Amino acid sequence: MNRFSVKQLGPIEDVSIDFGDLTILVGPQASGKSIILETLKLVVDHDSVINTLDRYNYIIGHNTDNILNVFYGVGMSAIWKKDSHVELDGIPFRLKDLPKKGDDRIDDMLFYVPAQRILSIADGRPKNFMEFDSSSPYILRSFSETLRLFMQHGMGSADVLFPMKNRLKGFLRNAFNESIFHGAKIIMEERSGQKKMVLDVDNLNIPFMSWSAGQKEFMPLLLAFYCLSGPPSKVVKREKYKYVVIEEPEMGLHPRAIISVLLQILELIQTEGYKVIVSTHSPVLLEFAWAFNQLGKMHRQYDALYEIFNVPEESPVRVMLEGLLAKTIRTYYFKRINGNGRVVSCDISSLDVTDSKDAVSEWGGLSEFSCKVSDVVSRYMVDAEDGE
């Protein structure tokens, strides 16, 4: 999977993405990032999508409107128009080519972590596919069902969900503990006849809905990381996945916690070999991408990389980061065209702060305010000094 192109789909006018080992998508809300990523899932895993809908007794026949309404959510089939054009690696994807029955020999290749992932957890347990109403997109239903099956059948009899020694590297467990859980444990406790997640801290078992917003938002993402790391599982065939999409991994998290998540993403790329695609509204990932570009021009580049992440000598993090600079990071900005409001993409991978294009120099708007604040304060300080 190298290049994905979409034209005339929903709000999208013309978007083309050349994937790196890590691909970052930025842009304002409602600028089509999720539509692009969901469409990529449909193109890559259409056999699995059709099989899943069939397994849950959706009567879709060969009616593409029915398929699209179930996949994107009721009423969303209208985003595909007669002149919509979708292409992956130069091969057009046409709705009429969707199979009536998917090939059950073909496994999912793209693991999708949706932005709405908090909705997958119902009072401390992942919801099953059919608990969602018809307005919920396929990617949320499928994600939640994957977590449910994984927790029931893919983790053995574990009653402690965090920390777990065999799912994440020790330095990542420590990073998540220090930045998110602060010594608390996540355990499974039977409540009202069901096992549910509770936060075990200071001799209290706190129910899921009483956790901090960041802890609640992070828990389904943590479970996704479990699915993609650690020992093989018959429930989640992680060895079959080649690509991982994570929407807004920063949701509800402090910048220090976002850095911990970034390290986990780098682990997925470096150790597990996935290509990862991230959509974000946080400058943290782009700050790293900018630094990544600069490090390639330096001597002692890995010493600088270790210092960025505060990695001490003899730390296993160094082993994980070795060779990272041979990877590629691509960054794209989704912007609306003045006048018609349609969305196009702009390759801002250089992240050059001296570029004449604002989209590049302001990193798709994520550094715009900080640049403005710095400029304004600098000018007024000069004025104040001149007036003395």
Side-chain angles (χ1 to χ4, degrees), residues 118 121 123-126 151 159-162 180-181 184-189 191 196-201 204-223 252-253:
I118 185 62
I121 306 294
D123 192 22
R125 60 169 183 84
M151 287 183 64
D159 285 328
V160 178
L161 294 183
F162 186 86
I180 299 172
F181 294 118
K185 292 182 179 180
I186 309 300
I187 64 175
M188 297 298 293
E189 182 178 89
R191 295 193 171 196
K196 299 181 179 181
M197 292 181 282
V198 297
L199 192 72
D200 180 9
V201 58
L204 295 173
N205 286 352
I206 303 172
F208 182 76
M209 295 308 294
S210 297
W211 297 9
S212 76
Q215 290 169 337
K216 284 188 290 188
E217 290 282 0
F218 178 67
M219 197 62 209
L221 181 57
L222 175 64
L223 293 173
L253 297 180

